[in-house]
Amino acid sequence: MRLFLMAVLCGSVLAGCKKDDSKAGALNVTIGYSGFTRGCVTVTATDVDDAQNTNTLNVAIPGKTPGSVAVAVFREKDWGRVLNVTTQLREFDCDGTAVGDPQEMKARVPEEGKLDVAFTVSATDGDNDGYYSVGSKGSDCDDGNVNVNPGAAIDGRTDFYPDVDGDTFGALNATATRACTAPIGFVEDHSDCDDTTQDIRPGITESRCDGKDDNCNGATDEVFSVGAACSGPLACGGAIQCNIVTKLAECAVTQQPEQWFTDVDGDGAPGVDAGFSCGVPPNTADAGTVNQDCDESSIFVKKSLPDVCDRLNNDCADEVDDGCAPLTWTTDAGVEGTTNLTAIALYGSGQASWIVGLNKVVHLNGTTASVFNHSSCDGNWQAAWASNDGRVFMVGNNGMLATRIPSEADPKCFVRTTSDKEPLNGVFGIENPTGGATVYAVASNGKIYRWAAPYNEENNLFEMAPVGANLRAIGGAKKADTLLAVGSGNEDGGARAFRFNPTGVNWSEESLGDTDAGFLRGVHVLNSQYAYAAGDNGHVFERTDGGDWHPLDRVTTADGGTATDVLDILAFSKNGIYAVTTGNTIEFFDGNSWDTVYSGEVKLKSLDGPTPTRFGAAGDGSNIVNFTAPPLP
């Protein structure tokens, strides 16, 4: 048999509410009500000893107030006799909203007869619309107006939505609950596009790159430009993406970097490793992704050049001078007299040159010699330099500077003299494509002069800031910032080197790392990356980019014995350096060691030439030693 509840809607009288066993006991549950005429009471009976034994009955309220309803409660024979009876008032009908808290009472079902159990419920429904006033815990926010209630088409109430994550915004697609005031956990705004997390809600700043619409404006990560082109490490291109871990926008690289090489020596063939990059490395000249040069110190060496007989690995192959016969020299003795020569200056392709000495100025062009013996050309000339158009510049004792060109009909030399007439020992010029070359001269007292075209104007011979050294030579490349002056310190006699600061008139001393080397007597600047200086006791120094000087192997006599003084130096590559010595030799450095390539009877003092296939040396007795590369067999 089942426990059943039967509602009796005949006032407070229990009638017709019994089982087949007329002597079975029952509970007579009476519910008194007042203040409303429409509603429902849910009655639930539960076995105290076994909560699974339970049953519920909804009892509608009759249309009068006050009043009462009664429910007869019978038990199943396998249930316990003590039952827990609860009542819950609902407004409007039995599907309506629960009003107030449920009431409960325990009662023992008698074996026969009945036991009365009484409950009382009350609520206010002033306008008799079936909805109770909010003051009696109902849902009618205007209990004096029958047209205002939760069931009305227009009820003057507000829709509220559940706010699950507690961020004051309800879920976008949530079901509304209409009420006069917001129930706990409900809000009026329902524009939250993700009501499971407080980090996503309308009105916040899109501060996380997470693939979500954090501010519920219909756009995803709009402030991070996701998908836009970007440049990552090594200048590699990519697109902006979100990092799912850090929630930050970052550049997701799609390009693969390549190894780049730069052209340092200016021969148009890159050969210095510039590292990996997806684009041309900054501050590089003629960069490329193919290594085209095995010697970035020399314009006479790169992979696209043919090999010639000049002691250099011109084509970057395994052999130097592959197929060349032994290289030889030609000697011209007593050229236009026997005066000792102090300098030789080749220009152009090296087929023409100037030689100078004591009261001697001669221009040589092949087998043709032009002697300039006008008294204005007399001087104890110590050094000479020739520009590409053939103009020669000479400096010497008594502060004398002179110039002329070979084709000029006037036999005179144009001469300028410094104010204190100190000995000038070295000269070098920088070509000017729009006018005459600018030349620089160095003196024994550390003074340095700049002479610019037009050379006959008084102010164009300018005395620059002096240095504390006895200067003997000056050299450079194509720009003034490559100029180097060398000599010896006035106090300790140690080797000294100075670099020109092109932003002003000052010269900065650079450390050679060995101040005991004595006089430096020659300097040759190969390019902006490499320069060489040499002097007493066979000392030779190499300068690399940044002003780092370091010594090379010292030049010694032919038998590898005592060191010999170097009077001049000429470089075509870091693996191709020539030096003239007081041992009457020309020495060659191949990057590893020095070797004697010429030995004669007279002292050579000056060495010059434009290319490794054409250069020469000049010395005592008007002797000239020439090297011209022979053709390949």
Side-chain angles (χ1 to χ4, degrees), residues 293-306:
D293 201 340
C294 62
D295 184 353
E296 277 292 335
S297 70
S298 176
I299 62 173
F300 305 107
V301 178
K302 60 182 176 180
K303 293 180 179 180
S304 59
L305 287 177

Side-chain angles (χ1 to χ4, degrees), residues 295-298 473-476 482 484-486 497 512 520-527 529-535 539-545 548-553 566 568-579 589-591 594:
D295 184 353
E296 277 292 335
S297 70
S298 176
I474 186 171
T482 64
L484 294 171
V486 299
L512 295 166
L520 292 179
R521 301 182 182 275
V523 62
H524 185 93
V525 179
L526 187 55
N527 50 46
Q529 304 294 312
Y530 290 90
Y532 298 89
H539 285 283
V540 180
F541 296 91
E542 180 181 62
R543 182 187 190 273
T544 53
D545 185 34
D548 178 24
W549 288 91
H550 54 273
L552 298 180
D553 287 349
V566 177
D568 203 359
I569 192 166
L570 178 66
F572 299 108
S573 161
K574 64 181 180 180
N575 302 318
I577 307 169
Y578 292 90
F589 184 75
D590 64 1
W594 291 95

